[in-house]
Amino acid sequence: MSSWETFIFIDDDFIERLDHLTSNQWISKRTGDMLDVEHIQYLDDFLIRIGGFMIDIRSQQVNDFGKYRTILFHENWKPEVFLLYSPVIYITAFSSDDVLNQLKLCVSSIRRFGNYTGKIIVMTDRSLAYIQELCGEYDTDFLDTDTLHPSDFVGYVCSKYYILDKPIYRGHQPLLYLDPDIIFDNDLNVILKDALLSEEICAPFEKQSPLRTQPSVGSSLIQLDGLSVGTYAVGLNGGTIIFPNTENPETYDFIKLVRRTIRNVGTKYGRNFCHWADQEVFNYMAVKLGLVNYTILTRYANFISNDPFDPYSKKGFVHFWGNSNKAEVMERYMKQLEEIERSRALHRVAD
């Protein structure tokens, strides 16, 4: 082989996709290893190392390099899948001072106990300056707003589904939606990684909410459509949902169908027919289409209703629904977490 023969033809598209691979964080689908930019290196001509995998780009085609999902051929013939890890969290918080206090505590727990340093978007009717000042205890460079002005309760609770075709969410994977009445008490990155590896929409069970009889998880819509569900089947909680990304075809179609169904049900039966509109339709569509993974987030979820002294196991997060003074109960739990943290620090010093 002459020296002039040791090259391959590539175009701008190939270069852009290669640059996207080498300048982002990825997760190995098979091993679950998190691969930062420093784990991706150019070696000799045509060779790239990504973690423990050796990739000769002469064995790659341009379509192998996806925006969110890339297939690389290790040692020229062994296909390995890598998933983009560029998460974003978005939280809805409108108008109410109590809700905004919940938001402040939620963001604080994400940063302090969830160890999450990435981008947070607040879907709100308040200004960016207001939200940054409210949550200003932590770095506000990664805090942004998506401004909406819903006209009624249905608009407020269904705003979580207005993420399609918006540049602010595009390019991120996965997307974690949160109600503001949630406190994270353990590493959030582990939850995001597990959900991403499933490549599915994820939501946790509400073990106390039977699908057959509980309106809040869509029983009315399920009955009206004549759908059959198991005697012991329970619904999903819509306060924590993880989407792969907004450009994923199944995710895109699912969210679009949820939005259209909310509108169609409102047109047929009245705007307030479904009191828990967002969660009812979400569960109804999950039953009908079967596209929601319920195992992953269920492992990390605790739901606290009326007793703030329920034992917390620090699974991952606590959803404080059902309390009249949520922010007060959330703050009390945050103080408990701080006490645990201080106690552990003292033990480390003593050791």
Side-chain angles (χ1 to χ4, degrees), residues 274-290:
C274 295
H275 181 72
W276 298 270
D278 59 316
Q279 186 167 277
E280 289 186 63
V281 174
F282 178 75
N283 272 274
Y284 167 66
M285 297 307 296
V287 169
K288 191 136 193 179
L289 302 180

Side-chain angles (χ1 to χ4, degrees), residues 179 181-182 185 203-209 235-240 279 297-308 310-313 315 317-323:
D179 284 350
D181 55 345
I182 290 171
D185 54 19
F205 274 145
E206 271 191 21
K207 296 180 181 178
Q208 68 281 6
S209 301
L236 299 167
N237 181 270
T240 43
Q279 186 167 277
L297 282 184
T298 301
R299 292 201 299 265
Y300 298 105
N302 263 330
F303 295 98
I304 303 302
S305 185
N306 296 313
D307 183 1
D310 281 353
Y312 306 143
S313 63
K315 285 183 176 180
F317 64 90
V318 181
H319 192 165
F320 289 88
W321 60 275
N323 291 283

Side-chain angles (χ1 to χ4, degrees), residues 23-145:
S23 58
N24 280 288
Q25 193 173 28
W26 300 82
I27 295 178
S28 166
K29 172 80 172 177
R30 183 169 61 84
T31 68
D33 291 339
M34 191 81 73
L35 303 167
D36 296 320
V37 173
E38 58 265 27
H39 296 124
I40 306 172
Q41 301 172 322
Y42 287 101
L43 301 176
D44 296 332
D45 292 345
F46 312 120
L47 288 180
I48 296 176
R49 176 189 288 128
I50 175 166
F53 302 101
M54 300 294 292
I55 310 301
D56 187 327
I57 63 171
R58 290 171 294 189
S59 62
Q60 300 293 143
Q61 297 178 5
V62 66
N63 290 331
D64 295 335
F65 299 98
K67 185 175 180 179
Y68 300 103
R69 193 177 198 269
T70 285
I71 298 174
L72 301 176
F73 287 86
H74 175 49
E75 296 180 1
N76 298 95
W77 70 278
K78 304 171 186 175
E80 297 285 347
V81 175
F82 298 89
L83 304 172
L84 176 71
Y85 186 70
S86 178
V88 69
I89 296 170
Y90 74 104
I91 310 169
T92 52
F94 296 97
S95 298
S96 161
D97 288 340
D98 187 52
V99 169
L100 290 164
N101 285 332
Q102 294 169 32
L103 170 70
K104 181 178 180 178
L105 292 164
C106 180
V107 171
S108 178
S109 74
I110 288 169
R111 299 301 194 199
R112 294 184 61 184
F113 306 111
N115 301 319
Y116 175 81
T117 58
K119 189 170 186 178
I120 297 174
I121 297 170
V122 181
M123 198 175 264
T124 184
D125 51 5
R126 299 296 181 102
S127 69
L128 174 59
Y130 178 89
I131 296 298
Q132 287 184 331
E133 185 177 353
L134 179 72
C135 305
E137 184 182 353
Y138 294 90
D139 185 1
T140 55
D141 289 345
F142 293 95
L143 186 65
D144 207 342
T145 54

Side-chain angles (χ1 to χ4, degrees), residues 113 173 224:
F113 306 111
Q173 178 174 269
L224 281 170

